[in-house]
Amino acid sequence: MTANSITVNGTDYRWPQRPVVVVCIDGGDPEYIEHGVAAGIIPNIERYMREGFHAVAHGTMPSFTCPNNMSIVTGRPASVHGISGNFYLNRATNQPVVMTGPELLRVNSVMSEFSRHGARVVSVTAKDKLRRQLQKGMDLANGSISFSSQHADRCTMEENGIEDALEFVGQPLPDMYSADLSLFVLDAGLRLLEERRPNILYLSLTDFIQHAYAPGHPEADRFYAEMDVRFGRFEALGATVALTADHGMNEKTNDDGTPCVVWLQDLLDAEFGEGASTVICPIADAFVGHHGALGGFVRVYCREGLSSERVIDAIREVPGLERVLSREDVAREFDLPVGPEGDVAVLGDVRTVIGAREVDHDLSGLKGHRLRTHGSVHEADVPIILNRPVSDEYARGAEDARLHSYQAFDYAFNGIVD
Ligand SMILES: [Zn+2]
């Protein structure tokens, strides 16, 4: 026996008549889709856009992976789900607190709530750091499954709802830094849809390709063509296919191709002295991260004696810094939980990233590539594409106001015309 609908975080979701596959194309800037359609390399997506539904939606700010994945799967903004970066600063200890685990996630995902009401759900993510957030509250006792391609060789029934995932998918463990890490997620979803016919699949990829290659680069084209073939297979298996992204991607370089960076901690230390403030780059996995850990959004935490007004006055005219906002203003404007915010939030312009101290960021990982990354409002636009048309009401809703990507599940579950 199944319910007609399930209420999750204030939204009623219809019990799906056919499997729903929601794919989060990590770093899936709308420009890749535009280019792919123009180049004729993504015929399935092109057809969905023509015969189904498509819109460019607002993503969650900051335009990072975890906050946006949580917005998509919970159907709510960051002020509700609580995840606004990879970590924030605990002022009492002056130590970073990791936000990528399930502990700080305040609400459950649509998948988790459906699993608790008897649905079979599947959550597969490329990188394991997202997995535990995605499966928070998920009931794995009724055939639901949650694992990452990164750790597909370590699955247990207890933790993941599946064993021998590599054997099941029929592929070796993909390389951590490769397009294959994402394609494995899609292939795992296809195999599970064929074999186990789950009600809901959430498939979250990695932005390795988009960080490295601009739209139109042969590597990016190949990746999009490979994805498109798989989206066609999901549809052929009878699924509703919904495509969205966590954030876009822009090149962040000077005219000579070198990374365009404002080293904010160095600036603040020169102005106010070392230890007066702490810059946290919430795109990073740690203080020092791969790919330079550089993005278009950072938080400044002031120590006693330094006011946010003085920080704002000192840096508001720095070239490349587009917005310098107080804690209250950034939380209000971008619908963020105020607790983890710093005293000042700093946003880069379209070509500028913001780092902490130059000496702490390792840029050797670029290996000659031009820096491409995200975090600012310029990477917050994401596509929502469905393979089926939506009702007049939902079509009007998309025309009247720009959608938010946290409405992707709502459109896929409630908007489509069955
Ligand atoms: Zn991402």
Side-chain angles (χ1 to χ4, degrees), residues 219-234:
E219 291 292 337
D221 281 0
R222 179 158 49 210
F223 181 54
Y224 270 76
E226 290 279 357
M227 285 196 291
D228 187 78
V229 168
R230 289 161 174 82
F231 299 150
R233 287 192 199 136
F234 281 113

Side-chain angles (χ1 to χ4, degrees), residues 16 40 73 75 102 112 131 143 174 178 181 183 213-215 220 253-254 266-267 294 301 304 321 346 364 392 416:
V73 300
S112 290
R131 177 184 58 81
S178 70
L181 197 73
L183 297 176
Y213 305 111
T253 53
N254 299 302
D266 291 335
L267 284 180
L294 291 166
Y301 298 78
E304 263 174 78
L321 303 185
V346 186
S364 63
D392 291 345
I416 57 160

Side-chain angles (χ1 to χ4, degrees), residues 306-324:
L306 179 60
S307 71
S308 54
E309 290 78 11
R310 287 177 69 205
V311 170
I312 292 172
D313 281 345
I315 61 176
R316 64 161 28 122
E317 302 294 334
V318 172
L321 303 185
E322 189 169 85
R323 308 284 305 280
V324 180

